[in-house]
Structures are given as structure tokens and as C-alpha cells.
Amino acid sequence: MPLHPQTVSFLQMLRRWTAVPPGEPEPTIEEMRERVGAVFPVGRRELPFVDDLAVRGPDGPVPVRLYRPAEGPLPAVVYLHGGGWVLGGVENVDGLCRGLAADAGCAVLSVGYRLAPEHPFPAAVDDAWAVVAAAVREPGRFGIRPGPGAVAVAGDSAGGNVAAAVALLARDRGVGLAHQLLVYPVTDTARDAPSWREYGSGYGLDAAALSRFMDLYRGGADPRDPRLAPLRAPDLRGAAPATVITAEYDILRDEGEAYARRLAAAGVPVELRRYDGVVHSFFLMPEVFDAGAEAVAYAVARLRTAFGHCEREAS
């Protein structure tokens, strides 16, 4: 379908915000990091319990922001923010994580994983896995319901890539996750899908920028490593049940949908939902996009269903 009028307005605003005056150099990574949190203000729900803490990681403490909507043991989502593995942090998804915790009735552990280029692959995956492992191993520390199927992973964009990689690690290491929620995830390193060509410029997430970030993150790693390119994993059988959300006008659309099809072909329960007329980042901006509010509500429903199913299975 054509670009939604809300998308047109958003892209006009984004162009004004990111325009580089003639003769000025492109912003540095540090400058982009300073700007990334100021694109659009989002609402932040009040929660009774929000704490910043740390989990022991492979190379030092991993910052985690814990959100809890109520007392008592709760299921939990480990959330991985987007930003091309180079930008972003827990502040950039604070509003979303508050909403997920409140509406899904779960704890949310938002991970401040290490960023490239200072910390290339697999630093982000290692940090994310450390938090998942801690949530499973020490549920009482975070107020998580003990037992199998109490922890899910979720992430958007590059965070969706990390979440998918962690879901495969969990399968390989015998950790049963309740769900994996992948929001317009990066699933491959090839960058040759039709959506990369069709929407590579002018739709918010530019192919050249993401390619640059991907190269900074990958470093010298094998581009076929499933922790980097989950779509290239030889076998997806046994991965956690999944929800995959994509946007029509997004360079990542095709690889996200290809991953959903591969999961289904491997016998993994999966639901794929594409939102038409919108661009990358719509999920994080329900104040801008009606489709964003719809997608977040859908994600909440999927998490609630996943946690309820696992609780019934455990009993």
C-alpha cells in the first residue's frame, strides 16, 4: 500500500532532523549517539519498581534496567535495544519496556550490551546471553517466576538480531525459553534482499548507514556465523516459539520474513505479521504511528499467550 500519511509526516520530520548543511562533515559516531535519543519524545508509564543493576558478564558488569509492574514472582522478558549494534541503549527503549512490563504483566530486563566499534561481535551476544543465563539461574534476584518457560527474549532491529542469536544459543545450551519476539530483525549479512534495494534510501533506515554499522560490528568475523546471521544457521529446529514483526517500507523486511518462514519450515511455532505503509522504527513510536500502537498491543498479546502456555505446561 502507499506510504501512510503518518509515515510521510515522520519522514519529513526525520529529514529535517538529520539534514547535514552543505559543506559540513557527516556526524561522527559519538555525535550520532548523542542525537539518537532525541528523535521523538515518547510517553513513559509509571511503574512501582524500576531499578538499574548489573549482571556479571564475560568481560565485566553488564548494565541492566529491571522493570516490574507488581510484587511477586513474574515471567520475564530480556529486551535487546536496536541501534545497529553501534547506537542506542536502555534509555532509548525505556518507554517501550515500561509499557511491555505493565501490559504483559511481566518483568522486563533491558540490557545495556556493549557497542561496536569499541566492542565488536560477539560482545553484544555474549552480554545478552549473560543476562538470559542470570535470569534463568537466579530468578529470585529479579523476582522472576522459577521453572522452565518463564523467560523470553525480545529485540528490535539489531536487537532483534541479538535476540534471535540468543534464542539459538539457548536451544543449544538446553535452556527452554518461553518465546522470542523479533521486531524487524537483522537476520543476515548478505544485504542483497529486494527490500534492501527498493527501500535503501529515503525510508528512515538507509542501507549505506546500516552497512557501515554492520561492518563495524562484524569486524573480522565469519559473515555466516549464526550468532551474526541467524538466517544462515544450518538447523533451526527446537528454537523457541517466535513472533516476527516487519514493516512494509523497511530494508530489513525480506530477511525478517525469510527467517519466519525458515522457523516455520523447521517446525517452530511462529507468527509473522507485516505492517503495511510504515517504515523501520514504527514499533518504538506509538505516539506517531497508529500501526506502532497496534503492533505493541499484538506483541503484548503474544507474550501473554506464551507465558500462559508455559505456566500451564509447567503445572
Side-chain angles (χ1 to χ4, degrees), residues 251-275:
I251 60 175
L252 300 178
R253 182 195 69 196
D254 291 348
E255 63 193 74
E257 295 178 0
Y259 194 62
R261 290 192 295 270
R262 276 211 60 207
L263 287 168
V268 176
V270 57
E271 280 194 17
L272 166 65
R273 185 166 294 188
R274 177 196 291 186
Y275 287 83

Side-chain angles (χ1 to χ4, degrees), residues 15 69 84 89 94 151 173 178 189 195 225 256 289 295 302:
R15 291 186 192 107
D94 182 75
V151 177
R173 296 173 182 180
T189 54
S195 57
D225 190 319
F289 297 98
R302 291 287 289 162

Side-chain angles (χ1 to χ4, degrees), residues 63-158:
V64 175
R65 182 167 293 173
L66 173 64
Y67 304 85
R68 292 178 48 79
E71 294 183 355
L74 298 169
V77 174
V78 174
Y79 196 89
L80 291 314
H81 67 83
W85 309 278
V86 172
L87 310 177
V90 296
E91 285 294 338
N92 303 109
V93 290
D94 182 75
L96 172 68
C97 290
R98 288 171 180 267
L100 289 178
D103 294 337
C106 65
V108 175
L109 288 80
S110 182
V111 184
Y113 58 84
R114 289 169 293 164
L115 299 176
E118 296 91 338
H119 304 285
F121 172 84
V125 176
D126 289 345
D127 288 355
W129 174 254
V131 177
V132 169
V136 172
R137 184 178 61 247
E138 307 173 72
R141 177 185 176 191
F142 309 102
I144 297 173
R145 188 181 74 208
V151 177
V153 293
D156 64 279
S157 195

Side-chain angles (χ1 to χ4, degrees), residues 49-60:
F49 307 101
V50 179
D51 295 303
D52 287 316
L53 43 87
V55 166
R56 183 188 305 175
D59 292 294

